[in-house]
Amino acid sequence: MSLSSGFAGFCWRFVAAPVAVMAFLVPVHAEPVKASAMFPPLPVVGSRDVTSIEPQITRPDTPYCTVELFPDHEFDGPEVRQVIDYAPPVGCSGLWSRVVLEADFSVSAGQQFDRTVRVRLGGVNILTGTTVEPARKQGATWHVERDLTDYSALLRQPEKGDAELLNIVTDQNNGRIKGVARLVFYKAAPGAQAPDVPDIVLPLDKDPVFLTAASPGLKGEVSLPRNVTRLMLDVLAMPQQVDEFWYMCMPIHYSPEMNAAQDRTCGIPFRETEVRVDGILAGIAPVFPWIYTGGFNAMLWKQIPGIETLNLHPYRVDLTPFAGRLNDGRPHHIELSVVGARRYVVMTGTLLAWRDPGRQVVNGELVRSSGKTAAITVHPDIPVQKNGTGKYTTRADQLVEAVGYVETSHGRVETSVSQKMSFENAYERMDGGSSIVQINRLTTRHDQQDLQGHRGYTVTERFPLTVRQGKSGAGTEPAYTLNVQQGLIREMAGRWPENITPQMRLFIDATAVTGAGRNGALTEHRSNTSEAWLQMGDGRSRCHERAVKSLNDVIVSVKDSAECREIP
């Protein structure tokens, strides 16, 4: 998820990776962000402002129009939704070089849980995130944005929608949450080539679907025009309740198949989205280990939220090998299921399709496909004892491949996509503490052959997570330390598409120390520190880094560097 000038803007538009959605915390504003650099505004050293190192979306230097989705609105009540009545911008007809959703939120001082926010338009998910938990004497404001350029076809006509943020205010949980959202349309420069955006934007379901162990799939039926040449699917699987801390699940069975749907356990520490087209496994998407601002200990995230916490990124799966199969004019089924889901995962899926303007019917075929559900093993390194101690290592491996072609007006185009996943979660419970070391690695290879020759590139992604909890000291004043290290690393090799930043690394290291209060609960805050790094590189020699550190609720250092350190 930039670098000095000269590098392309951040836009994961054509790869099996998250589409561009950003979050950073700044004063609430009504004018669109104009910064061309991808790094967010610098936080103020000495302030208590919440900040983020996630990059912002680059903007073209062209005229723009703004359409308000909903005005400054307080979300109060379990069933209240803010209605959206969208109409395209009058002053920005024609081609758009970029479309950006911007939203600003605030929470008042006091106490409040982290809440989920969803914004939909025409049944399409255009924003999913969570809110900041406030401090008792200080509220917070934050800004999020998402690149919706690929959703331009949706925005060409009026649409109904809504914004959902279920905030319940009581005497104890008295934090009030407000929000405002708008779309910013940037005109295409005269003579400039317009972005190659999809012609169809289609939700698999008009509402988010809640997946459980008994019902682990979202099933959508689609009927597409007969001249589709390319297909992508934006997938977002948001764990909640039992599934929220899925990576901290101590297995009770050696075999995952032994976890019955009616069991009220967390199952196994593994989650993954599988995409099927007409029952054929077509692709996979990782379930990122998001940690919301109330996760583990709210003091961990007071100044620097976890990666993607405020703005959850959909993951883009390339289904182009199946385009020829879906061009037969018949209904087809696309199913999203979450391996390991218990109770529950909130799923949305948005299908994107590109059409051939020079041919009414594009014939094609799925040449071959291979892949099975992830092979999962659970190994009891130290079997669980009566006192709850023990160590289990869960591993998973998977390979999914598909090859297909379409006969376009420019000749035959053959596309192959392969995804290789490897996963390991080592969870140990000890006297006075616990430890989780998890690494999820996904390598996706894209190849395309047409009359102009061969093009191919590889995307390698890693999602490391370490959580350590321990007790120190004795007597009446023991200390309890919690440390979380969370990372997102994405690197590309080969001939990647334009407007792609080939190398991005995000890493957060947060620690909180608490003591037991008079009632024995861990309510005595002693210290908290957090460090975060963003590194953006060109995949060759140039790399730029931003590092931010907070100590006891105060930003104490911010450093930009033209060199990138080795991240732990």
Side-chain angles (χ1 to χ4, degrees):
M1 282 193 208
S2 160
L3 291 180
S4 52
S5 59
F7 290 125
F10 180 79
C11 182
W12 289 88
R13 196 169 291 157
F14 302 110
V15 300
V19 294
V21 282
M22 310 296 152
F24 50 95
L25 288 107
V26 296
V28 174
H29 54 75
E31 290 299 314
V33 176
K34 297 182 180 180
S36 59
M38 290 169 55
F39 278 79
L42 281 168
V44 178
V45 174
S47 74
R48 294 180 177 268
D49 296 338
V50 184
T51 189
S52 170
I53 59 168
E54 296 182 33
Q56 62 188 21
I57 299 169
T58 56
R59 314 297 179 98
D61 189 18
T62 59
Y64 61 86
C65 299
T66 301
V67 175
E68 185 178 74
L69 291 179
F70 57 88
D72 194 15
H73 171 77
E74 180 176 340
F75 294 89
D76 183 10
E79 302 297 335
V80 178
R81 296 184 179 183
Q82 175 64 30
V83 175
I84 297 174
D85 193 1
Y86 166 78
V90 176
C92 286
S93 58
L95 300 176
W96 302 321
S97 60
R98 185 149 295 175
V99 182
V100 180
L101 166 67
E102 296 184 347
D104 295 292
F105 296 95
S106 65
V107 60
S108 63
Q111 181 172 304
Q112 190 54 266
F113 294 112
D114 53 71
R115 305 294 188 180
T116 299
V117 56
R118 295 188 183 93
V119 182
R120 289 169 292 183
L121 205 58
V124 173
N125 168 47
I126 61 173
L127 178 66
T128 297
T130 64
T131 64
V132 173
E133 287 201 2
R136 292 190 179 276
K137 296 183 179 180
Q138 182 172 347
T141 63
W142 65 99
H143 175 85
V144 298
E145 52 188 49
R146 179 177 175 187
D147 188 346
L148 291 183
T149 309
D150 276 353
Y151 288 22
S152 294
L154 171 72
L155 305 173
R156 290 289 179 187
Q157 61 280 329
E159 294 285 358
K160 299 290 185 180
D162 59 58
E164 179 184 25
L165 199 165
L166 307 182
N167 188 48
I168 301 175
V169 178
T170 65
D171 290 341
Q172 181 176 2
N173 297 312
N174 55 359
R176 297 186 174 274
I177 301 175
K178 296 182 178 181
V180 58
R182 57 200 165 270
L183 292 173
V184 185
F185 298 83
Y186 292 87
K187 293 183 177 181
Q193 183 176 359
D196 180 18
V197 298
D199 300 289
I200 298 171
V201 180
L202 184 67
L204 294 186
D205 197 289
K206 292 289 185 180
D207 293 298
V209 177
F210 289 65
L211 308 185
T212 65
S215 180
L218 181 164
K219 300 178 181 180
E221 181 177 285
V222 298
S223 297
L224 297 176
R226 300 198 61 188
N227 60 348
V228 170
T229 60
R230 189 153 46 118
L231 279 173
M232 300 284 176
L233 184 67
D234 285 349
V235 177
L236 182 60
M238 181 183 187
Q240 295 277 22
Q241 290 193 4
V242 172
D243 286 275
E244 179 176 344
F245 298 101
W246 59 266
Y247 42 83
M248 288 199 67
C249 177
M250 176 66 82
I252 62 173
H253 299 299
Y254 295 167
S255 173
E257 291 76 17
M258 296 176 65
N259 292 295
Q262 63 269 23
D263 288 350
R264 300 190 65 82
T265 67
C266 57
I268 57 173
F270 175 76
R271 299 291 186 274
E272 177 191 73
T273 300
E274 294 186 337
V275 182
R276 285 178 170 79
V277 177
D278 295 333
I280 302 171
L281 184 59
I284 55 178
V287 176
F288 189 79
W290 292 297
I291 304 174
Y292 313 134
T293 57
F296 296 112
N297 184 331
M299 301 309 300
L300 289 167
W301 319 113
K302 287 301 181 184
Q303 268 51 61
I304 305 175
I307 295 174
E308 299 185 2
T309 294
L310 305 179
N311 200 342
L312 277 58
H313 298 201
Y315 194 89
R316 182 160 293 182
V317 179
D318 191 345
L319 299 180
T320 301
F322 290 79
R325 180 186 179 94
L326 272 62
N327 274 347
D328 60 2
R330 301 174 182 175
H332 291 270
H333 296 90
I334 298 178
E335 180 179 359
L336 305 179
S337 59
V338 174
V339 178
R342 302 302 295 171
R343 197 176 64 255
Y344 52 86
V345 177
V346 186
M347 177 68 74
T348 60
T350 303
L351 187 65
L352 309 176
W354 287 255
R355 302 175 66 182
D356 189 338
R359 183 166 288 185
Q360 294 277 332
V361 176
V362 173
N363 294 316
E365 186 179 348
L366 174 66
V367 177
R368 65 179 182 274
S369 65
S370 63
K372 297 180 179 179
T373 296
I376 306 170
T377 61
V378 179
H379 186 267
D381 304 308
I382 305 175
V384 175
Q385 307 300 306
K386 292 183 178 180
N387 63 358
T389 62
K391 181 180 180 181
Y392 276 64
T393 299
T394 302
R395 296 183 177 90
D397 295 283
Q398 192 173 24
L399 177 63
V400 180
E401 298 177 296
V403 180
Y405 71 87
V406 285
E407 301 285 2
T408 75
S409 58
H410 300 287
R412 173 174 288 197
V413 179
E414 182 176 279
T415 302
S416 65
V417 179
S418 68
Q419 293 180 282
K420 184 178 181 179
M421 180 273 297
S422 62
F423 173 93
E424 181 175 292
N425 175 294
Y427 184 15
E428 182 175 8
R429 288 179 182 167
M430 304 153 285
D431 285 334
S434 64
S435 170
I436 297 171
V437 179
Q438 176 174 296
I439 183 66
N440 190 359
R441 182 186 182 98
L442 179 60
T443 301
T444 304
R445 175 70 188 179
H446 304 256
D447 288 280
Q448 180 176 296
Q449 181 75 40
D450 56 24
L451 295 178
Q452 297 179 348
H454 171 266
R455 292 178 297 281
Y457 62 96
T458 301
V459 183
T460 301
E461 299 165 292
R462 289 177 289 140
F463 314 105
L465 175 69
T466 301
V467 181
R468 293 186 174 92
Q469 304 179 79
K471 175 183 176 182
S472 61
T476 60
E477 295 187 0
Y480 299 85
T481 301
L482 173 62
N483 173 255
V484 178
Q485 298 177 5
Q486 183 186 43
L488 192 162
I489 297 98
R490 183 176 298 117
E491 296 170 327
M492 302 185 67
R495 186 180 174 185
W496 52 78
E498 295 180 359
N499 298 325
I500 298 295
T501 302
Q503 189 178 73
M504 185 275 296
R505 304 185 193 100
L506 273 169
F507 193 81
I508 290 179
D509 186 343
T511 301
V513 180
T514 57
R518 292 181 179 178
N519 61 356
L522 300 180
T523 56
E524 181 187 301
H525 171 233
R526 296 186 180 178
S527 67
N528 61 288
T529 180
S530 182
E531 295 184 77
W533 300 268
L534 167 65
Q535 297 178 349
M536 307 293 293
D538 63 358
R540 299 177 180 88
S541 60
R542 290 188 293 179
C543 187
H544 195 87
E545 176 184 280
R546 170 168 294 178
V548 180
K549 183 177 181 179
S550 70
L551 176 64
N552 294 332
D553 304 342
V554 176
I555 300 296
V556 294
S557 70
V558 179
K559 183 180 179 181
D560 283 352
S561 173
E563 296 182 355
C564 293
R565 77 187 79 179
E566 287 292 328
I567 292 179

